[in-house]
Amino acid sequence: MSRLRPAVEQSPHPAAPRLTRSAASQARLGGPGPPQDPAPGPYGKQRRKHTDSALAQDLSQMRVSGQESPLGYQDVNMRHASRSSTQNDQPAPSPPVKEGPRARVKSSSRGGLASVARLLKLGRCKNIVVVAGAGISTASGIPDFRTPGTGLYSNLERYDLPYPEAVFNIDYFSECPQAFFSLARELYPGRHRPNYIHYFIRSLHLRGLLLRVYTQNIDGLEKMCGIPEDKLVEAHGNFTTASCHLCYTPYPAEDAKVAIMSGDVPTCSFCAGTVKPDVVFFGEDLPQKYFLHSEDFPKADLLIIMGTSLQIEPFASLVNTVRASVPRLLLNRHAVGPFLKTPLRRADHLELGDLLDSVQRMAHILGWSAEIEELMRSQGDWAGPPTQSRAIVGRVD
C-alpha cells in the first residue's frame, strides 16, 4: 500500500517517484531486487559531464598504503527507508575475504585525513555532503544492532522474529507491533545525547561548508546537536510525528510516545489500526525530501561518508552520484561499498578504524578541536577526552 501524505499533496513540486528501501537480503526472501535511483527528481538537474578539477589533481598525487579490510559486519542504522519496500530486508552476509590483488583494500592509514584537511584549509571544499549511518551514534551510548547478547536485536529474541530485520517490516508490524515498540523505547529521542561526531558535522555547518547531511539514523541526534532542518535529510524518517499505519491518519506524537513508553499500543480513532511513529519501515516509501539528492550530490565538492555499511538501498547508491573528480572520504571501521574495489577512484580516501578517534584527529588537523569542545560544553554534552573504556566507539556491526 502506498502512503500518500498531505504534505506531499500540497507540495508545489510535481510528485516525486516512489522509492522504497531494500537490501541484499531481499533476493533471499523472494522480493524484488534493490531499486535503482530514478532520473533526477523535481528538485534536481541533470548531472554535469565529468571533468577533472584542481581537487582531483591535488589528490591524485597522494598515495595510500595497502591494508587488509575485514568484511562481514552489518549496518547499524535503522533499516527503514522507502515507504513501499524496504530497507526492509536483512542484508546478506558479506563473502569471506579471498587472498589476491582484489582482496586487498587500499587504506590511507592516516593520510586520508591529512589530504582532505589540506583541501579544506585551501578553501577548495565549500559544498560538503555528509552521508551518515548508525556508527556515528554508538559514542552516544546507543548499542549496535547485532552484537550477541548486547545488540538491540538480541533484546528482541522473546518475540521469535522470523529474521532480525522483521522488526522494521511493515507487514510484520501489523501482526506484532510490540516488537518494534520494544526497540523504539531504546531509541526515542531524549534518552541519548549527541557526541563529538555530531558536533563536528555541525561545525561544518557553522563554517558555511555543509550543503546537506543525509542520515539513515532515526535517533534524532543530528537535529538535537543543532543541525538545522533545512540541512538535514532523515532518509529513514523520525519520531517527530506519528500516524496510523493503515489509513495514515495523523496522531499526536507525544500521545503515541506516552503509550509506547508505557507498554501500550496506540490505536487510531478513525480505523482502530495501530499507530506508529513516522519511521520508514521496509515496505514503506522514502520521504519526498530524500529526492533532494538529485540536486545536492552533483553539486558537492567533497563527500564524507561515516559509520555505515552502505548495504541498504537506495541510500547506499547515493555515494556513487557525485562527479568522478569529487573527493570521497570514508571514515569507518571497515571499507564498504565502492571502497572495496581496487583500484580505488583517484579521489577516494579511507581512514579505517575507530570512528570517534578519526573525527577527533581530523578536527585537530583542521584546528577545530577547541571550538567543537566549547560548542559541546555550551550544550552540556562535553565530558572530557575519551578513555580506553570507549573501545566500541565507531562500531557499525
Side-chain angles (χ1 to χ4, degrees):
M1 179 183 296
S2 172
R3 178 170 187 170
L4 200 59
R5 294 174 173 276
V8 175
E9 295 173 349
Q10 298 168 5
S11 172
H13 302 285
R18 287 181 59 223
L19 200 58
T20 62
R21 180 179 178 178
S22 65
S25 58
Q26 214 163 19
R28 183 167 70 252
L29 297 174
Q36 300 298 318
D37 269 0
Y43 296 100
K45 301 177 181 179
Q46 291 288 343
R47 285 175 52 193
R48 288 170 287 181
K49 184 177 180 181
H50 293 182
T51 58
D52 288 337
S53 66
L55 287 178
Q57 294 169 7
D58 284 344
L59 288 173
S60 66
Q61 300 178 28
M62 301 175 182
R63 294 186 175 274
V64 295
S65 58
Q67 173 180 314
E68 284 293 343
S69 175
L71 308 179
Y73 73 100
Q74 302 294 337
D75 190 67
V76 175
N77 256 316
M78 301 310 298
R79 326 280 152 175
H80 1 77
S82 346
R83 267 186 159 113
S84 83
S85 109
T86 202
Q87 261 182 19
N88 138 69
D89 313 324
Q90 31 188 16
S94 302
V97 178
K98 297 180 180 180
E99 293 298 326
R102 295 190 64 81
R104 302 188 67 83
V105 177
K106 289 188 177 181
S107 167
S108 61
S109 208
R110 293 206 177 202
L113 297 184
S115 301
V116 175
R118 176 174 177 269
L119 296 177
L120 283 166
K121 288 182 175 181
L122 290 172
R124 299 285 182 81
C125 304
K126 298 179 180 180
N127 289 294
I128 300 174
V129 171
V130 174
V131 169
I136 75 170
S137 296
T138 56
S140 294
I142 299 178
D144 62 34
F145 279 77
R146 301 177 183 280
T147 299
T150 62
L152 292 174
Y153 286 146
S154 295
N155 298 327
L156 302 175
E157 290 179 352
R158 65 184 180 276
Y159 294 106
D160 194 26
L161 300 175
Y163 54 92
E165 291 83 354
V167 69
F168 296 121
N169 183 288
I170 193 61
D171 295 323
Y172 185 83
F173 176 82
S174 297
E175 300 296 325
C176 182
Q178 284 291 8
F180 170 72
F181 290 156
S182 178
L183 188 63
R185 286 192 283 273
E186 294 294 324
L187 297 172
Y188 251 110
R191 297 198 59 180
H192 304 278
R193 297 294 304 173
N195 63 65
Y196 194 99
I197 302 168
H198 298 100
Y199 282 97
F200 176 84
I201 300 172
R202 184 183 174 191
S203 184
L204 291 173
H205 162 64
L206 293 175
R207 293 170 182 276
L209 303 175
L210 183 66
L211 178 58
R212 206 92 61 192
V213 181
Y214 285 75
T215 180
Q216 293 174 283
N217 299 335
I218 62 171
D219 52 40
L221 297 183
E222 294 92 353
K223 190 179 300 181
M224 191 178 297
C225 84
I227 296 173
E229 181 76 28
D230 66 332
K231 293 292 183 179
L232 182 61
V233 174
E234 295 171 304
H236 298 168
N238 54 51
F239 289 92
T240 303
T241 57
S243 56
C244 174
H245 87 289
L246 292 178
C247 70
Y248 315 121
T249 299
Y251 190 90
E254 190 58 33
D255 291 351
K257 178 179 180 180
V258 170
I260 293 170
M261 298 301 284
S262 301
D264 298 326
V265 177
T267 56
C268 175
S269 59
F270 182 75
C271 74
T274 302
V275 169
K276 74 171 184 66
D278 289 328
V279 169
V280 182
F281 276 38
F282 297 128
E284 295 190 301
D285 297 337
L286 288 167
Q288 186 171 349
K289 194 174 182 181
Y290 170 83
F291 293 94
L292 285 170
H293 74 80
S294 62
E295 176 182 331
D296 290 343
F297 281 73
K299 188 186 299 183
D301 52 26
L302 172 62
L303 179 63
I304 301 177
I305 307 157
M306 52 174 69
T308 175
S309 67
L310 293 182
Q311 292 197 21
I312 301 302
E313 295 291 354
F315 190 92
S317 295
L318 289 178
V319 302
N320 296 318
T321 61
V322 294
R323 289 168 288 122
S325 60
V326 171
R328 299 188 299 186
L329 173 64
L330 175 69
L331 304 176
N332 228 25
R333 184 162 294 278
H334 306 301
V336 295
F339 295 87
L340 288 169
K341 299 177 181 179
T342 55
L344 296 175
R345 286 194 341 193
R346 61 176 176 173
D348 282 352
H349 289 262
L350 297 81
E351 192 70 26
L352 305 182
D354 183 279
L355 179 56
L356 178 60
D357 176 67
S358 295
V359 172
Q360 289 178 321
R361 285 190 287 109
M362 187 168 187
H364 176 73
I365 295 171
L366 291 167
W368 299 358
S369 299
E371 294 178 24
I372 294 175
E373 291 168 14
E374 181 57 36
L375 187 61
M376 294 180 71
R377 286 190 189 95
S378 69
Q379 301 296 315
D381 291 327
W382 177 250
T387 64
Q388 292 299 319
S389 64
R390 298 166 71 177
I392 66 167
V393 168
R395 285 188 63 173
V396 285
D397 50 23

